[in-house]
């Protein structure tokens, strides 16, 4: 220490200016170490008694030591030597060192950055006031675990694994652990230890087989208590400061916790396994004492507090009661788990969330990882392809050196999810084939699956999901994909009972995007790129950076997360279409509610669905011409794979059409240009699929209607719909021509509405 | 809610505010000087400080549940007419927005004829007396009262003036536990004075307004009265009264025990001694009985002097000798003496009621000074800036 800097002088001004500071005295020649007398607000009768029941005095002297690194580093803040250490917010320390208050939950350096010396003073004063009242700690808040923030050794472990051992009889168990040695700036070393969540039996050859053959592998011992003579579990309801440093102190502490016999037994077995061997390199032994508290440990949802220590053991004698081997308290961190991730994310843990991700490519893997990091990972993964080197340009995972590149995408994502403390079943099915087979592959949506997410960007998958036998049985689908080389994003959320279906939504989205000048150019006009990925190999993809591809995924992930928690829209489907500027710094989404389509079905199961807005347009056209029949042209898509029509728009009848009470005759004037114009504007995505007209009474298709349908069918290469709106129904016919024989044939099937 | 007490800085005068755990509010005296509500004036804006602690009735008016006037001296009721609604609640005006007193706790002295010796009343005291008489008449007419008309008469008066008041009369040495007609589980008060009238009317005539002061020992609990804290308020009662109170209570000294004593008559020597401080100086003798009456301090108790700063001079009140005497009383119990006039800033002194006595609330006024002088300091200093000078970042 070279002396008091200006920053320290200013800090000392703040210290002495605090309203609860009564006096400040310099303790060293530089003036960088000071004793500060804090008035501790406490009830008058405690002041009268000279101290609070917890032993805090009405005026407490706290030592502040500033070093040369201030204000980058915080001053060292210490309490008087005999301050009651059995307080949960006292940092663990050796008994010969003055106790230190744990005055900030977080990094005190950040507190200094954000709130300055005033912030530190407020926290210390507040700490003292709370410490004075500590005896009155309210267990309804839970048991405050022993603070272990400043400890260098730390143990990462799944608390549920450790607590899972606890039974009425008490006992001990072993697990393998892995560690990394850490050099400390202050000299010495410490370990970062990870305990495997798997019980290890300690057979005679355990040391030879496990420990001696792997560097960085150690052992952990879990010790838990039993019951009192009266049969109640042993409860430790008194705070003891964390001062254990030696085997003797550890033994005392274990006795205090009611774990002495169990600890001794575990050490006894370990001593037997050591036998007469002595090792140069120590066995890194992690002790996990499981202590039962009178109330749930805060933030843990369990009264079992895990109290960890680390020892370096070279021989059996190091574990004897008289051993001189140091025992170091360790900090404990929860291993990655769904609950931990949910907590850090600020999300509610959803143990029951179940969803299937179809497509573990770039978008799919990123979605899976986003949701998994929130504790809501997919439970089933479907992808038929292997990770190829070019995938890593944008995939959610990075290559792991130990794993050679050839790897199933589904397996790779499943492993990542496992690493995040959750589990997913990978399937390598060709989804289209699996779904088309009879019966469809049920393993794709195990019971209780809430939704299927199609992140394949594959139209084949969309169609396979909408095969009649599949659509009727599967959970609702959410499709997520990118369009226009990553400049537009697309989410289609099916309605209940897949109405509207992803196919319906696809047709509707084309109508929406064609109506928007920007989207039309960006999304509907773009083609894919062919990228050379090897000698003689290429892949069809859209060229874009990982950053661009990633832009929209968080919004999609957020939608899915909310859907898992609160369910999908109750009555309708939804389209969400996003776009982003080229610099990726301006993103916007539009959301469209899409009501259920009206659905018609023929006797052979052919299907036609009509959007709600088309029905409204038709009814409005009918209302405009009362007492006569009217009609027009239906716009939409026909899907060969699912043999279904999806109608999302109408074109008004040409001016030469004739409207009478007996019949409607569609005109022809200008119709070709108008339909071509429509088709061009939608970049070929939407086209005429038939006609509609109304009947003034609830009558089926007339002979004229049938003849018209046949004529229309003969004029095109896919079936045609002739839809009839009557006052009480929507019905119609599908006409299909067959030109394979000598004479063209037309089959006509009637369509009737299927009511939900 | 935590029961609390607030002791406003009103120089030589009294103004104390109690809030019970069940959120009943009691004001004990007021001394709102004319420039106290002038934001530019030097006097703390105690009217605003009080108003900020009050709740509004659904009908829109701010209210105190009870207003105890210890005695009708100017420095105990100044500002009453200006800041409190007097008259039926139906006449309350939103524009004036005065504070409604749901229940008056009044000394009976207000019924005395103004012609009696020393009993001339200031305007505010007359306003109090008029309102008290209105309420008593209403009680006599209707036999019951509602909020805004309620009154309790603390102590019997001479010549049968308080006869027939029944339910609204609190007799000296009795305990009452109701506020606005409802029984409280976290509040209790013992009426210790005024001492009931004696046969010797001459003596009564000699009693000054000060000596007709109400003396109450109020208990506030955290939930029930178990472990409750005691507040002893004695208005301006002087040594003769304290001597008689000791004689009346010496077999039950707990009636006088306190966690907080508002030193009578702004820390006047005349509450502890018959000898004039300016005449006798250090030769002045303490009355043993008065000291005992005022000496029942519980462990860690506070004595507060609601007065100007106490200087080492001839002034009385507040008197340096009285302060020394109280500090001597407190030294036996590790207690604390606080003079409101000595506190920096305008904020009142506040206490929280705990199950183990009173806990002083940290006064924040002193903190404001060193932090930021103009926005630049906050931005430039970085490490010594106020909260919020740097938004929380995450990387």
């Amino acid at each position: 220490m070279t002396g008091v800097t200006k920053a320290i002088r200013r800090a000392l001004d703040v210290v002495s200016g605090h309203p609860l500071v009564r006096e400040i005295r310099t303790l060293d020649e530089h003036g960088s170490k000071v004793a500060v007398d804090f008035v501790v607000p406490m009830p008058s009768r405690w002041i009268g008694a000279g101290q609070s029941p917890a032993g805090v005095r009405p005026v407490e002297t706290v030592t502040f030591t500033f070093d040369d690194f201030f204000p980058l580093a915080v001053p060292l803040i210490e309490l008087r030597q005999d301050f009651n250490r059995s307080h949960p917010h006292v940092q663990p320390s050796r008994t010969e060192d003055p106790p230190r208050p744990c005055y900030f939950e977080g990094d005190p350096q950040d507190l200094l950055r954000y709130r300055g010396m005033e912030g530190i003073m407020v926290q210390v004063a507040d700490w003292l006031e709370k410490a004075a009242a500590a005896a009155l700690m309210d267990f309804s808040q839970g048991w405050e675990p022993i603070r272990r923030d400043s400890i260098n050794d730390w143990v990462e472990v799944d608390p549920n694994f450790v607590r899972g051992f606890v039974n009425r009889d008490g006992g001990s168990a072993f697990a393998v652990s892995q560690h990394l040695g850490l050099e400390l700036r202050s000299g010495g070393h410490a370990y970062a230890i990870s305990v495997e969540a798997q019980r290890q039996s300690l057979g005679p050859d355990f040391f030879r087989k496990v420990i001696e053959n792997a560097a960085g592998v150690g052992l952990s011992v879990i010790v838990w208590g039993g019951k009192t003579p009266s049969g109640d579990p042993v409860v430790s309801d008194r705070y003891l400061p964390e001062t254990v440093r030696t085997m003797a102190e550890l033994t005392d502490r274990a006795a205090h916790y009611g774990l002495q016999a169990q600890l001794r037994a575990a050490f006894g077995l370990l001593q037997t396994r050591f036998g007469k061997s002595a090792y140069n390199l120590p066995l890194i032994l992690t002790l996990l004492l499981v202590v039962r508290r009178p109330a749930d440990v805060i933030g843990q949802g369990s009264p079992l507090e895990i109290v960890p220590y680390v020892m370096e053991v070279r021989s059996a004698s190091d574990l004897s009661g008289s051993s001189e081997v140091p025992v170091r308290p360790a900090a404990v961190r929860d291993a990655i788990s769904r609950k931990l991730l949910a907590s850090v994310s600020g999300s509610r843990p959803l143990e029951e969330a179940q969803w299937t991700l179809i497509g573990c490519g770039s978008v799919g893997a990123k979605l899976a990882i986003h949701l998994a990091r929130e504790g809501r990972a997919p439970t089933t993964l479907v992808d038929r392809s292997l990770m190829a080197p070019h995938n890593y340009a944008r995939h959610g995972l990075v290559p792991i050196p130990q794993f050679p590149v050839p790897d199933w995408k589904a397996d790779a994502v499943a492993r990542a999810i496992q690493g995040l403390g959750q589990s997913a079943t990978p399937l390598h099915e060709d989804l289209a084939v699996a779904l088309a087979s009879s019966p469809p592959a049920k393993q794709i949506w195990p019971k209780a699956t809430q939704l299927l997410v199609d992140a394949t960007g594959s139209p084949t998958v969309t169609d396979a999901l909408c095969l009649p036998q599949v659509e009727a049985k599967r959970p609702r689908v959410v499709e997520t994909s990118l369009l226009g080389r990553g400049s537009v994003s697309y989410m289609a959320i099916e309605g209940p009972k897949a109405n509207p279906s992803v196919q319906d939504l696809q047709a509707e989205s084309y109508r929406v995007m064609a109506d928007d000048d920007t989207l039309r150019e960006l999304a509907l006009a773009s083609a894919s790129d062919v990228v050379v990925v090897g000698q003689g190999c290429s892949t069809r993809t859209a060229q874009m950076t990982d950053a661009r591809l990633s832009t929209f995924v968080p919004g999609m992930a957020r939608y899915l997360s909310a859907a898992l928690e609160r369910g999908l829209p109750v009555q309708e489907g939804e389209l969400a279409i996003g776009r982003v500027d080229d610099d990726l710094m301006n993103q916007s989404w539009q959301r469209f509610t899409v009501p259920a389509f009206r659905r018609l079905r023929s006797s052979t199961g052919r299907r036609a669905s009509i959007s709600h807005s088309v029905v409204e347009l038709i009814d409005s056209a009918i209302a405009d011409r009362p007492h006569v029949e009217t009609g027009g042209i239906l716009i939409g898509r026909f899907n060969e794979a699912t043999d279904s029509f999806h109608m999302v728009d109408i074109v008004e009848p040409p001016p030469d059409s004739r409207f009478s009470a007996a019949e409607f005759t569609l005109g022809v004037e200008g119709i070709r240009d108008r339909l071509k114009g429509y088709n061009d504007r939608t970049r070929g995505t939407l086209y005429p699929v038939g006609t509609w007209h109304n009947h003034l009474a609830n009558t089926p298709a007339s002979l004229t209607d049938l003849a018209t349908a046949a004529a229309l069918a003969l004029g095109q290469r896919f079936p045609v719909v002739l839809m009839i709106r009557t006052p009480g129904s929507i019905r119609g016919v599908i006409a299909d021509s067959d030109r394979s024989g000598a004479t063209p044939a037309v089959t006509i099937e009637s369509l009737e509405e299927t009511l939900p | 809610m935590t029961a609390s007490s607030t002791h406003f800085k009103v120089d030589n005068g009294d103004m104390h505010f109690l809030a019970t755990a069940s959120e009943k509010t009691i004001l004990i005296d007021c001394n709102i000087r004319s420039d106290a509500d002038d934001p530019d004036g030097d006097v703390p804006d105690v009217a605003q400080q009080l108003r900020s602690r009050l709740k509004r009735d659904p009908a829109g008016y701010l209210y105190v549940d009870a207003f105890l006037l210890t005695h009708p001296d100017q420095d105990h009721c100044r500002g009453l007419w200006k800041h409190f609604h007097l008259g039926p609640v139906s006449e309350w005006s939103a524009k004036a927005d005065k504070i409604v007193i749901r229940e008056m706790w009044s000394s009976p002295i207000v019924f005395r004829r103004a012609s009696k010796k020393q009993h001339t009343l200031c305007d505010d005291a007359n306003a109090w007396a008029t309102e008290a008489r209105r309420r008593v008449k209403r009680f006599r007419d209707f036999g019951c009262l509602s909020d805004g008309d309620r009154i309790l008469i603390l102590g019997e008066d001479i010549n049968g003036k308080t006869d027939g008041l029944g339910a609204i009369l609190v007799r000296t040495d009795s305990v009452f536990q109701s506020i606005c007609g409802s029984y409280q589980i976290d509040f209790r008060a013992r009426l210790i004075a005024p001492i009931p009238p004696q046969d010797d009317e001459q003596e009564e005539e000699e009693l000054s307004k000060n000596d007709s002061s109400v003396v109450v020992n109020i208990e506030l609990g955290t939930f029930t009265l178990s472990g409750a804290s005691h507040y002893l308020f004695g208005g301006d009662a002087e040594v003769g009264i304290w001597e008689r109170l000791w004689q009346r209570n010496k077999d039950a000294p707990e009636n006088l025990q306190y966690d907080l004593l508002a030193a009578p008559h702004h820390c006047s020597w005349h509450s502890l001694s018959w000898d004039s401080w300016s005449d006798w100086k250090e030769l002045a003798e303490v009355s043993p009985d008065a000291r005992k009456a005022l000496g029942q301090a519980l462990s860690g108790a506070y004595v507060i002097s609601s007065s100007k700063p106490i200087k080492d001079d001839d002034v009385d009140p507040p008197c340096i000798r009285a302060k020394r005497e109280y500090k001597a009383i407190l030294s036996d119990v590790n207690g604390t003496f606080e003079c409101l006039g000595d506190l920096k800033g305008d904020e009142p002194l506040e206490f929280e009621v705990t199950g183990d006595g009173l806990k002083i609330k940290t006064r924040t006024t002193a903190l404001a000074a060193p932090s930021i002088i103009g926005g630049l300091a906050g931005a430039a200093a970085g490490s010594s800036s106020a909260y919020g000078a740097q938004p929380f970042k995450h990387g």
Side-chain angles (χ1 to χ4, degrees):
Chain A
M1 182 75 218
T2 51
V4 175
T5 62
K6 282 182 184 170
I8 295 177
R9 201 170 305 128
R10 279 193 288 268
L12 290 173
D13 282 347
V14 171
V15 171
S16 55
H18 190 273
L20 290 173
V21 168
R22 177 178 286 181
E23 201 189 338
I24 170 167
R25 296 180 300 281
T26 306
L27 295 178
D28 67 353
E29 74 226 62
H30 308 297
S32 55
K33 182 172 185 179
V34 293
V36 181
D37 287 347
F38 277 89
V39 173
V40 184
M42 62 174 73
S44 52
R45 292 174 203 168
W46 297 355
I47 298 175
Q51 62 172 33
S52 82
V56 177
R57 298 175 186 162
V59 175
E60 280 286 350
T61 303
V62 181
T63 308
F64 285 60
T65 310
F66 295 86
D67 67 12
D68 283 342
F69 294 103
F70 182 84
L72 269 182
V74 286
L76 176 66
I77 298 174
E78 292 169 314
L79 305 162
R80 62 186 154 86
Q81 183 68 38
D82 58 348
F83 192 94
N84 177 11
R85 288 168 194 255
S86 54
H87 182 281
H89 286 265
V90 170
Q91 303 276 21
S93 60
R94 299 183 305 167
T95 19
E96 56 270 33
D97 293 335
R100 296 176 197 168
C102 180
Y103 57 87
F104 184 59
E105 283 192 46
D107 186 343
Q109 296 197 15
D110 286 348
L111 175 66
L112 188 60
R113 296 277 83 65
Y114 285 116
R115 291 176 60 187
M117 199 60 205
E118 281 100 336
I120 302 239
M121 290 301 289
V122 166
Q123 291 295 120
V124 172
D126 192 49
W127 186 93
L128 286 167
E129 186 172 344
K130 291 203 170 96
L136 303 175
M137 188 169 297
D138 178 5
F139 284 151
S140 66
Q141 300 278 316
W143 177 271
E144 185 85 41
I146 301 165
R147 298 301 302 189
R148 320 186 83 86
D149 306 59
S150 67
I151 297 184
N152 294 311
D153 292 280
W154 60 270
V155 179
E156 177 191 307
V157 64
D158 178 355
N160 293 328
F161 167 68
V162 175
R163 295 188 179 117
F165 287 108
V166 174
N167 55 20
R168 290 173 52 78
D169 300 324
S172 61
F174 296 90
V176 170
S177 57
Q178 309 208 26
H179 55 264
L180 176 70
L182 309 167
E183 298 268 343
L184 299 180
R185 206 177 54 160
S186 57
H189 62 277
Y191 293 102
I193 296 165
S194 173
V195 178
E196 278 183 21
Q198 193 174 357
R199 187 173 191 164
Q200 174 72 44
S201 68
L202 210 61
D205 53 353
F206 170 75
F207 277 84
R208 190 172 48 78
K209 277 172 68 180
V210 180
I211 305 289
E212 290 175 20
N213 287 324
V217 172
L219 188 65
S220 60
V221 189
I222 298 140
V223 181
W224 65 95
K227 52 183 187 284
T228 61
S230 63
D232 297 323
V234 174
V235 172
S236 182
D237 60 358
R238 202 156 66 84
Y239 277 110
L240 279 193
E242 186 50 272
T243 54
V244 171
R245 289 294 182 277
T246 65
M247 181 62 90
E249 288 168 342
L250 175 68
T251 309
D252 277 358
R253 189 55 55 95
H256 171 79
Y257 291 144
L259 304 172
Q260 194 178 20
Q262 292 85 353
L263 181 66
R264 218 358 80 202
F267 278 3
L269 178 58
L270 258 177
Q271 284 178 304
T272 309
R273 293 295 175 252
F274 265 107
K276 292 194 166 38
S277 315
Y279 295 89
N280 284 334
L281 279 177
L283 167 71
I284 306 308
L285 183 66
T286 307
L287 274 176
L288 299 167
L289 304 187
V290 186
V291 181
R292 187 179 290 275
R293 299 301 193 180
D296 276 4
V297 177
I298 290 172
Q300 296 290 302
S302 160
L304 301 171
E305 182 172 0
I306 299 170
V307 182
Y309 300 96
V310 175
M311 298 174 69
E312 297 175 25
V313 183
R314 291 180 169 81
S315 67
S317 67
D318 283 355
L319 291 167
S320 70
S322 58
S323 163
E324 297 284 312
V325 168
V327 180
R328 300 203 301 261
V332 63
R333 297 191 184 184
D334 286 2
I336 293 181
S337 68
R338 183 193 296 278
K339 196 177 146 198
L340 175 73
L341 296 172
S343 159
V344 175
S345 306
S347 303
R348 191 161 64 82
L350 294 180
E351 292 300 335
E352 70 285 4
Q354 275 202 39
W355 61 287
T356 297
L357 174 66
I358 302 164
C360 297
S362 302
V363 171
K366 285 175 202 284
L367 279 175
I369 299 301
H370 274 307
L371 272 288
R373 286 190 202 281
E374 203 185 334
R376 298 176 178 183
T379 39
T380 304
L381 302 166
V382 189
D383 198 302
R384 64 172 175 168
S385 38
L386 295 170
M387 284 300 294
H390 73 273
N391 293 141
Y392 286 111
R394 296 174 315 215
H395 199 266
L397 304 179
V398 291
I400 305 169
Q402 292 95 313
F403 278 96
V405 165
D407 191 8
W408 295 105
K409 284 181 182 173
D411 289 7
V413 173
R415 260 199 317 279
I417 287 171
Q418 194 186 3
L420 291 169
Q422 294 154 80
S423 74
T425 309
L427 301 172
H428 310 146
E429 320 271 338
D430 179 328
L431 190 92
V433 172
L435 292 178
S437 359
S438 191
K442 283 280 183 53
Q443 68 274 25
I444 293 165
W445 54 86
K447 202 162 181 253
T449 299
Q450 289 164 272
L451 48 98
L452 308 178
V453 174
D454 172 14
T456 57
S458 156
T460 311
V461 169
T462 309
D463 290 351
L465 286 167
C466 292
L467 291 168
Q469 71 273 26
V470 176
E471 193 180 281
K473 289 180 180 155
R474 60 166 171 76
R476 286 161 80 172
V477 171
V478 175
E479 183 182 337
T480 58
S481 51
L482 302 180
L483 304 166
R485 294 201 176 95
S487 58
V488 176
S489 65
Y490 175 80
M491 277 189 92
I493 299 98
E494 285 189 338
K497 295 184 193 294
N499 185 6
S501 69
V502 275
Q503 284 181 330
D504 295 329
L505 290 163
Q506 181 187 32
E508 178 70 4
S509 77
Y510 294 155
R511 188 184 67 77
V512 167
M513 290 192 277
D515 279 351
D516 182 306
D517 292 342
T518 314
L519 285 176
R520 184 170 61 236
E521 295 312 314
L522 285 175
L524 298 184
S526 70
S528 57
D529 307 295
V530 175
V531 180
V532 175
V533 294
Q535 191 174 287
C537 296
S538 54
T539 187
R540 184 160 287 278
T541 184
Q543 282 177 314
M544 63 181 112
T545 61
D546 183 49
R548 175 171 287 276
L549 185 138
S550 306
T551 304
F552 291 112
V553 180
M556 296 170 170
R558 183 71 209 107
Y559 189 102
L560 293 177
S561 178
L564 289 169
E565 184 165 343
R566 296 193 286 272
L568 290 166
V570 181
Q571 292 197 322
E572 61 274 318
E574 192 172 9
L575 279 171
I577 297 170
R579 70 181 83 172
V580 68
D581 288 354
D582 272 348
D583 61 7
L584 304 183
M585 288 187 170
N586 189 6
Q587 181 177 147
S588 62
W589 287 76
Q590 281 175 284
R591 289 169 70 165
F592 306 89
T593 296
V594 184
F597 277 45
R598 302 286 283 264
R599 294 191 153 174
L600 286 70
R601 181 184 283 270
S602 79
S603 54
T604 60
R606 313 186 88 166
R607 295 171 299 161
S609 57
I610 306 157
S611 79
H612 181 76
S613 59
V614 164
V615 175
E616 279 187 340
L617 287 170
I618 285 174
D619 288 349
S620 149
I622 292 170
D624 286 345
R625 296 179 191 273
H627 316 305
V628 294
E629 288 188 6
T630 182
I633 295 161
L634 289 168
I635 301 289
R637 293 171 65 81
F638 169 70
N639 191 300
E640 191 78 73
T642 51
D643 202 4
S644 58
F645 290 88
H646 308 272
M647 288 161 283
V648 293
D649 206 357
I650 58 173
V651 167
E652 287 178 6
D656 58 337
S657 302
R658 293 196 308 277
F659 310 87
S660 76
E663 68 171 17
F664 161 72
T665 311
L666 188 68
V668 293
E669 189 181 318
I671 190 74
R672 178 177 296 274
D673 288 346
R674 284 187 65 190
L675 294 179
K676 182 167 186 314
Y678 194 106
N679 189 242
D680 287 349
R681 188 172 62 83
T682 60
R683 299 294 185 264
T685 55
L686 297 176
Y687 43 85
V689 291
T691 65
W692 72 272
H693 67 280
N694 71 314
H695 285 177
L696 298 178
N698 284 322
T699 46
S702 62
L703 282 174
T704 316
D705 294 337
L706 298 180
T708 309
L712 287 169
L714 286 168
Q716 65 185 44
R717 296 186 189 281
F718 63 92
V720 66
V721 171
L722 189 138
M723 199 201 92
I724 300 160
R725 177 64 163 148
T726 75
S729 72
I730 296 177
R731 50 169 51 134
V733 295
I734 292 180
D736 202 353
S737 64
D738 181 355
R739 295 190 201 75
S740 57
T743 26
V746 175
T747 42
I748 294 182
E749 294 176 64
S750 68
L751 283 171
E752 295 295 335
E753 188 167 10
T754 53
L755 295 172
Chain B
M1 148 178 176
T2 309
S4 64
S5 67
T6 306
H7 309 273
F8 298 95
K9 295 185 63 171
V10 291
D11 275 5
N12 285 3
D14 272 274
M15 185 159 167
H16 310 277
F17 177 72
L18 306 181
T20 71
S22 44
E23 303 188 26
K24 296 288 181 194
T25 53
I26 305 162
L27 184 66
I28 298 162
D29 294 342
C30 71
N31 186 27
I32 309 173
R33 288 162 288 173
S34 56
D35 55 349
D37 36 352
D38 173 4
D40 299 325
D42 290 338
V43 174
D45 189 354
V46 294
Q48 188 49 44
Q49 290 170 358
L50 172 66
R51 292 174 72 91
S52 71
R53 286 165 171 78
L54 300 181
K55 289 191 296 186
R56 276 190 194 273
D57 183 272
Y61 56 79
L62 283 174
Y63 66 91
V64 290
D65 287 294
F67 186 144
L68 164 62
L69 181 62
T70 57
H71 65 292
D73 259 353
Q74 179 81 75
D75 53 349
H76 292 255
C77 61
R78 185 179 277 121
L80 176 83
W81 183 84
K82 184 172 173 190
H83 293 281
F84 292 85
H85 174 75
L86 302 172
V89 175
S90 57
E91 292 169 11
W92 180 83
S93 122
K95 190 164 171 241
D97 199 17
K98 292 187 187 180
I99 301 165
V100 167
I101 302 166
R102 285 184 165 175
E103 185 166 74
M104 294 170 88
W105 293 356
S106 180
S107 133
I109 194 176
V110 297
F111 301 113
R112 295 196 189 163
R113 290 191 306 276
S115 61
K116 292 271 184 178
K117 185 186 175 192
Q118 289 193 22
H119 289 174
T120 13
L121 299 180
C122 64
D123 288 348
D124 281 315
N126 273 321
W128 175 275
T130 306
E131 174 67 2
R133 287 193 199 102
R134 179 188 76 80
R135 295 186 181 206
V136 169
K137 178 172 189 305
R138 194 168 169 82
F139 176 75
R140 290 195 197 274
D141 291 349
F142 295 95
C144 64
L145 295 169
S146 55
D147 288 350
D149 290 333
R150 294 180 193 277
I151 184 164
L152 292 182
I153 301 298
L154 305 186
E156 297 142 277
D157 202 359
I158 49 173
N159 302 335
K161 284 179 191 297
T162 51
D163 289 356
L165 291 182
I168 62 167
L169 177 65
V170 177
R171 290 175 197 282
T172 301
D173 293 330
S174 71
V175 160
F176 65 104
Q177 210 167 342
S178 289
I179 299 174
C180 290
S182 71
Y183 182 85
Q184 307 293 308
I185 60 165
D186 53 8
F187 160 87
R188 181 161 59 196
R190 168 176 289 272
L191 185 65
I192 293 170
I195 295 165
Q198 307 288 304
D199 295 338
D200 182 349
E201 196 171 322
Q202 185 61 36
E203 184 188 352
E204 294 307 316
E205 290 295 309
E206 291 300 326
L207 284 177
S208 64
K209 283 193 298 258
N210 284 350
D211 283 346
S212 68
S213 267
V214 169
V215 177
V216 280
N217 193 328
I218 293 177
E219 287 173 79
L220 297 184
T222 50
F223 175 61
T224 64
L225 286 166
S226 164
S229 292
H230 288 258
Y231 288 83
L232 186 60
F233 294 101
D236 285 356
E238 296 191 346
V239 60
I241 294 297
W242 293 107
E243 285 179 346
R244 285 166 68 182
L245 289 181
W246 179 249
Q247 288 304 320
R248 291 168 65 87
N249 289 284
K250 64 183 175 189
D251 296 331
E254 65 275 12
N255 290 346
L256 293 164
Q257 71 184 10
Y258 58 83
D259 292 285
L260 184 145
L261 165 71
H265 201 183
H266 329 302
C267 203
S268 163
W269 179 240
H270 280 295
S271 296
L272 286 159
S273 170
W274 291 100
D275 302 339
S276 156
W277 166 243
S278 55
D279 295 346
W280 292 86
K281 294 285 166 45
E282 298 301 335
L283 294 175
E285 288 182 13
V286 172
S287 154
D289 278 3
R291 192 190 192 279
K292 281 180 194 145
L294 291 165
Q296 303 303 312
L298 290 164
S299 180
Y302 289 88
V303 172
I304 61 170
S305 171
S306 184
S307 67
K308 295 178 173 175
I310 303 176
K311 298 197 176 87
D312 192 354
D313 58 16
D314 289 351
V315 171
D316 180 17
C319 175
I320 184 74
R321 178 76 197 278
K323 173 180 171 178
R324 292 211 306 259
E325 203 57 44
Y326 288 120
K327 290 192 84 157
I329 289 169
L330 293 171
S331 71
D332 295 339
V333 295
N334 278 336
T336 309
F337 182 92
E338 289 278 7
C339 172
L340 298 180
D342 284 337
L343 298 175
K344 287 181 197 147
D346 287 352
E347 289 302 307
L349 182 64
E350 289 187 273
F351 294 90
E352 284 177 7
V353 174
T354 77
D356 295 284
L358 300 173
K359 183 173 163 187
I360 202 160
K361 280 197 202 168
T362 310
R363 288 159 50 82
T364 51
T365 30
L367 184 64
S371 52
I372 295 210
I373 312 141
L376 194 60
S383 67
S384 62
S385 57
Y387 195 14
Q390 202 180 143
F392 181 71
K393 295 185 287 192
H394 183 279

